[in-house]
Structures are given as structure tokens and as C-alpha cells.
Amino acid sequence: MAALADSNGVQSAWLLDSILAPNAESDFGRRHDFASIRSVDDFRRAVPIRDYEGFRADVERIDANESGVLTVEPTKRFFTTSGSTSRPKYIPVTQSFIRDKSRAFGIFWDLVFSQHPNVAKGRMVTNFSDAGRPEPSPGGLPTSSESAYWASVTAATQRKAPVVPRVVSRIADHDARYYAIARVLLEQDFTAIMALNPSTILLLFKKLEDDLDRLLADVEHGTLSDAYSIDDEARAAVLEQTAPNPARAEALRRMLRDDSPRLPAREAFPALELAVSWRSPMLAPYLERLAPHLEGVAVRDYISMASEGILAIPLKDGESGGALGIGICFYELRPEESTETILPHEAEVGGEYVVVLTNRAGLYRYDIGDVVRVKRFEGTTPVVEFLHRTGRTSSLTGEKLTEAQVTAAVTELLDAQRIESFTLAPIVDGELPRYVLLVETRGEVPLADAARALDDALSKYNGEYAGKRKSHRLGAPELWRVADGSYAALKAEKIASGGADLQYKHVHLVRDTRFVERFEILERHRGAD
């Protein structure tokens, strides 16, 4: 917290003493003459900004067991994450990098516990699903998603048994898993509930709402319904924690209001004090739907982070975003349309910037591709909230669709000779957030079958999209045919506002949830739920 008052001084010392000096004899350090760098400006002149592709060759050398490539310190493992191309990204992980991230987590939870002492004394619900099993990289280094890594660390260091048994979080069927979790929680005391994505918590409360009669019968009789396919090990784990409890079932029934099937969380779970999840503006549709379930419960954003590093640490309840993690990574900010960066203390309130970070795992001036907005300052450090990814991407709930993926899917799905143009756009209208494919055709084209196949086509090119659809976080996509001349009108509008005719290109993916309002819709077709 003291570092926030002097972000420039702390950042400069951290960069020179903790990142560059220890790695001057790495191959990357010698190529960029780290030994002669004496200031932040020297560093910015010596090292160009790169995205992951600018590091891929060095990462492949590390995976081939070459030492001292990006850092003198050994690379212990990789975090895997999907890239904008079909090739995955392998993010180097050193022990120093793990310590830095661990310190960010420690700062976050220390602030939470100081503001919510009861949360520290109680139990927390966190494991809604098994994060998967580590797989080796092509060269044999341990490799996993970051969430899987930290889940394994948590499991190894937990002193108390988790509220939700791990075997329950491994239930493959989504509906069955959430039913079993809801069944366990109805007879457990816990002070906080946490999931990175608020849609996860929303799904739990939706299950409590949709299956309440069955759940209350299970509570009353000490059973676990056969309506869902739950393996014997998980079923036994649930039943070990339960017994016939008609008094609890009756108490829960009395909490129901005549006008709603919803259990009020604060009454049903009286120890529940805090719900933690990401609260970025992109997640507003889920946060709005979740809010009625959490009346009387404090809500808090979680650390803004990526596999490559920490972005921001929330400082208080109810706020989207947090302070840049000064002294955890070295940060620069650049306007999305610029290649020049500024330092955090030079940012403007209300400004939107792409984060460029340098970490202790070998990513130097790494363009992470996340756009943040500066909300205010804490000392000389900006408090930022995540807005979206750079470029033509869309992510309603973590699916990170790219324009290249959409174009490939639609090109495969539709006869290009009969299509004038198309755009995939998100829509949020009170139903489950979903995507709409707007299509202008040349003449009459049957689209009903294409609408039904759209889901599979998008799932084929983006596994995260497939997972979010399977877990009911995204609604079924729709295909709408727009009036003839719609895209010509868009082009004319763009040129009239100063765009260049020869450089104009129809956009095939947008993030604007109101984009569909620009069109006259002739037909609407919905895929299968």
C-alpha cells in the first residue's frame, strides 16, 4: 500500500534491481544489453514492445531444454492459454514469478480479511469444478492452465477439508455437478463464495431456484436425487455430509416468498458475508442477474490477472477494478491506437490504455492485449478496470472469440457466393447473453439449417465458447437476415465520417451489444438450446 504513493520510484527500482540486473547474462539480456541500462528510458529504447509471437521462438528454445534464454533463473513450467491463432501460448513460469503472484494474492486477501474479519474465521466456497490435469509441453516441461496450477497448490496447502468435496467438483455432467454442489451447500455454513466469473455463482443460484423442490426433499430425507447421473464416489461424498433434516427443509420453505421461487441468500446462508468475482463492465449482464440473489451480501472484484502477470488488485468492496500491482510487475500503458507508452503515474483519469508489462519470468515489454480504463488514483498509482481485449475480439463470459475464428466458422457454414457480408454481434436483452450472426444474402437463401449448425461451427473453432455453451453461460446463437443494402449503407456512413474507401473492410465480429439495432431484420432463426 505504501508503494502506491510512489509508483514511479518503486517501479523504476523494481525494474532495474529485480528484473534487469539478475537477467543481464541471459541470452535476451545480452542481446538487449541489459548491463548498460541505467534508467526506465534506457530500457524502453533498448527493448521493443512485443506480443507473444515475438517471444515464441525463445519459448521454443526453453522447451527444448536450453537454459538462460529469457532469464538466468530456470523456467520451471509453462502456463497454457489460447492465442489468437490456432497455436497455444506457453507462458514461462519461474519461481520468482510464482512468488510475485503469490504476493499479489496475499495483498488481496489481507485487505479482504481486514475489512471482513468473519470471512477469515469462516469457510469459503471456491471449487465449482475441477481445473483439469497437468500435461507436459512438447519438450516435456510441466504444463497446465494457471487455474489448474493454483488449484493444486491450494489443495496441497489446505488445512481444512473444502466445503465442496473435490470429488464433487470433478462430476463431468454440468447439471449434475451443480445440483450436487447446491445439495451440499444447503446444509453447510460458509462465510464467502468465490468464482472468477460471476456466471459461475449465478449458475449455482439458478440451480437452487430451478430444482428447489427436489433439493428440499433431499434435505428433508437425507438423500441425493437420482434425477442426475452422479457417480458412486461423488454420491457417497455428498451423503457423508448429510442426514435427514426435516427442520432445515421446513425452515428453508418458510423463507420462500409468494412472488418468487428464489431463496434469499442472506437468509438461507446466514453466515455468508462476501461474494468475490470479477466485476468488469463486460460482465455486467451476469452481475445484474446475480444481484437479486445476493441482497445483503457484500460483493468484491477479484484480482485482474492473466497467465502472464497481475494487472490490478482491488482495494475495496463494490468497485470494479483495482490498483496496478506496483512492485509485482513493471507496467507501461499505451493508447490503443498508439505504439508509444506512458508510465502509470502519467495516465489520465478516464483514459483507456493497453497494458504493457514486464515480469520476472522473461516477458519484457510484453503487450498483453488487455485494455483498461483509469477510474481514479490511489496515491500516484492508477486504479483501473478491465474493459476488453484489443483488436477484434468478443468475450461475454471468457470465451474470447476472435474475428479469425468467426470468419472461419461462418465461411465453413455458409456459401460465400450467396452471402453479401456478415457480422457476429453479442446481444444482451434480458435473456441469457448470446451471439447473433447478422447476414445479408444475395437473393433468397434458406438459413434455418445454418442457424442450427452455427453453434457447432463456433464451438469447433473456439473450445472456450463450446465450454461456455455447455455450461449454459451463453445462450443459443441466432442467425438474422438483414435487409438488402445494409452493409453498403454502413460503408457509406463510415466514408462520410472520414474513412478511406479503399481501406474499408466489413467487420465480422464486434463487441457492441447495440450493433444489431442498426439493421432492419427480415428473418430470425435460433439455434437449438
Side-chain angles (χ1 to χ4, degrees):
M1 294 300 290
L4 302 183
D6 181 22
S7 65
N8 193 38
V10 171
Q11 279 230 122
S12 298
W14 180 254
L15 174 70
L16 297 173
D17 299 339
S18 298
I19 299 179
L20 301 185
N23 294 302
E25 293 305 312
S26 69
D27 181 62
F28 190 96
R30 288 192 297 268
R31 291 191 332 244
H32 295 85
D33 199 12
F34 281 7
S36 68
I37 292 176
R38 298 289 182 267
S39 69
V40 169
D41 285 341
D42 287 349
F43 174 62
R44 292 156 93 182
R45 283 189 291 267
V47 181
I49 295 173
R50 296 172 170 87
D51 61 12
Y52 181 79
E53 294 307 315
F55 288 95
R56 188 181 288 277
D58 284 328
V59 171
E60 290 174 350
R61 291 170 60 195
I62 294 171
D63 194 35
N65 295 315
E66 189 174 341
S67 62
V69 178
L70 291 171
T71 58
V72 171
E73 185 180 7
T75 297
K76 296 291 189 181
R77 63 183 302 113
F78 293 123
F79 288 154
T80 54
T81 182
S82 60
S84 57
T85 68
S86 59
R87 302 171 69 190
K89 295 191 291 186
Y90 291 96
I91 306 303
V93 177
T94 62
Q95 194 57 42
S96 293
F97 181 62
I98 289 297
R99 286 198 300 270
D100 292 340
K101 280 207 165 184
S102 296
R103 190 160 67 87
F105 301 151
I107 293 168
F108 174 80
W109 287 112
D110 189 72
L111 290 170
V112 168
F113 294 154
S114 67
Q115 295 168 30
H116 297 278
N118 291 333
V119 171
K121 298 173 187 174
R123 303 169 74 202
M124 185 178 303
V125 179
T126 59
N127 51 327
F128 288 91
S129 66
D130 192 315
R133 297 290 178 270
E135 297 289 341
S137 68
L141 275 175
T143 301
S144 69
S145 68
E146 182 177 19
S147 59
Y149 173 80
W150 291 112
S152 68
V153 170
T154 300
T157 57
Q158 259 183 343
R159 297 178 181 177
K160 301 177 182 177
V163 179
V164 177
R166 294 193 72 191
V167 66
V168 172
S169 69
R170 296 189 191 119
I171 296 173
D173 180 78
H174 166 83
D175 285 327
R177 184 170 72 253
Y178 273 82
Y179 186 88
I181 292 171
R183 172 69 181 94
V184 168
L185 295 186
L186 280 174
E187 295 190 79
Q188 295 290 327
D189 286 328
F190 51 94
T191 56
I193 188 168
M194 174 190 163
L196 295 183
N197 201 304
S199 63
T200 300
I201 303 175
L202 179 62
L203 285 169
L204 170 66
F205 283 107
K206 196 77 171 67
K207 180 58 65 178
L208 282 166
E209 186 174 304
D210 293 345
D211 265 341
L212 188 57
D213 289 341
R214 184 180 288 125
L215 285 163
L216 293 183
D218 277 343
V219 171
E220 182 175 358
H221 301 295
T223 55
L224 180 62
S225 174
D226 292 328
Y228 293 101
S229 177
I230 299 173
D231 64 83
D232 291 343
E233 186 182 8
R235 185 173 290 276
V238 173
L239 293 177
E240 281 175 10
Q241 300 191 39
T242 62
N245 196 344
R248 171 63 170 162
E250 181 56 31
L252 290 168
R253 289 189 180 102
R254 286 198 299 269
M255 294 175 193
L256 293 174
R257 299 163 185 156
D258 293 338
D259 60 344
S260 172
R262 180 184 304 133
L263 275 175
R266 201 69 180 86
E267 296 177 37
F269 309 108
L272 179 60
E273 183 174 323
L274 179 68
V276 178
S277 71
W278 283 330
R279 300 188 63 79
S280 107
M282 283 294 291
L283 295 168
Y286 300 97
L287 294 169
E288 290 171 4
R289 295 179 68 194
L290 181 58
H293 294 280
L294 294 175
E295 290 180 4
V297 177
V299 293
R300 196 180 189 99
D301 204 347
Y302 189 56
I303 297 171
S304 298
M305 57 188 285
S307 298
E308 298 91 338
I310 298 295
L311 297 185
I313 302 175
L315 303 179
K316 60 183 181 180
D317 292 347
E319 184 175 40
S320 169
L324 284 179
I326 300 301
I328 293 169
C329 296
F330 176 80
Y331 302 93
E332 301 171 66
L333 304 172
R334 69 169 180 85
E336 193 167 1
E337 303 304 322
S338 173
T339 59
E340 299 298 319
T341 64
I342 60 172
L343 297 177
H345 70 282
E346 299 171 322
E348 296 181 358
V349 173
E352 297 181 5
Y353 305 95
V354 180
V355 178
V356 176
L357 64 77
T358 298
N359 67 22
R360 290 208 289 173
L363 298 180
Y364 306 97
R365 303 200 77 201
Y366 179 82
D367 190 327
I368 200 167
D370 287 345
V371 179
V372 299
R373 177 192 293 128
V374 176
K375 300 179 66 177
R376 60 184 178 85
F377 274 80
E378 187 76 25
T380 63
T381 302
V383 172
V384 302
E385 64 177 350
F386 172 79
L387 292 183
H388 55 73
R389 297 282 294 166
T390 54
R392 291 172 182 157
T393 64
S394 180
S395 189
L396 285 169
T397 181
E399 67 279 9
K400 298 178 184 176
L401 275 171
T402 70
E403 186 176 35
Q405 292 166 345
V406 171
T407 301
V410 176
T411 301
E412 182 178 289
L413 185 68
L414 298 173
D415 181 355
Q417 300 304 314
R418 306 185 69 183
I419 301 301
E420 184 66 40
S421 195
F422 63 88
T423 306
L424 191 76
I427 187 169
V428 179
D429 59 358
E431 297 184 32
L432 201 61
R434 61 200 185 279
Y435 286 93
V436 170
L437 181 64
L438 302 164
V439 177
E440 182 178 342
T441 64
R442 296 186 177 101
E444 294 292 328
V445 175
L447 296 175
D449 289 343
R452 287 189 286 270
L454 177 59
D455 212 12
D456 288 340
L458 292 172
S459 296
K460 172 183 175 181
Y461 286 95
N462 186 299
E464 291 290 339
Y465 172 90
K468 299 304 186 284
R469 281 287 293 124
K470 186 176 181 180
S471 64
H472 308 301
R473 302 182 195 195
L474 288 173
E478 299 183 28
L479 193 156
W480 296 357
R481 185 166 75 88
V482 303
D484 294 347
S486 294
Y487 281 90
L490 275 183
K491 180 178 179 179
E493 179 184 327
K494 182 69 174 179
I495 293 171
S497 65
D501 189 0
L502 293 177
Q503 295 178 344
Y504 181 83
K505 176 182 176 291
H506 289 314
V507 176
H508 291 159
L509 177 66
V510 297
R511 291 188 287 253
D512 184 1
T513 58
R514 303 186 64 178
F515 184 78
V516 297
E517 298 174 7
R518 300 184 179 192
F519 295 84
E520 177 188 353
I521 309 302
L522 303 182
E523 300 173 23
R524 299 172 189 251
H525 303 280
R526 186 160 189 165
D529 286 308

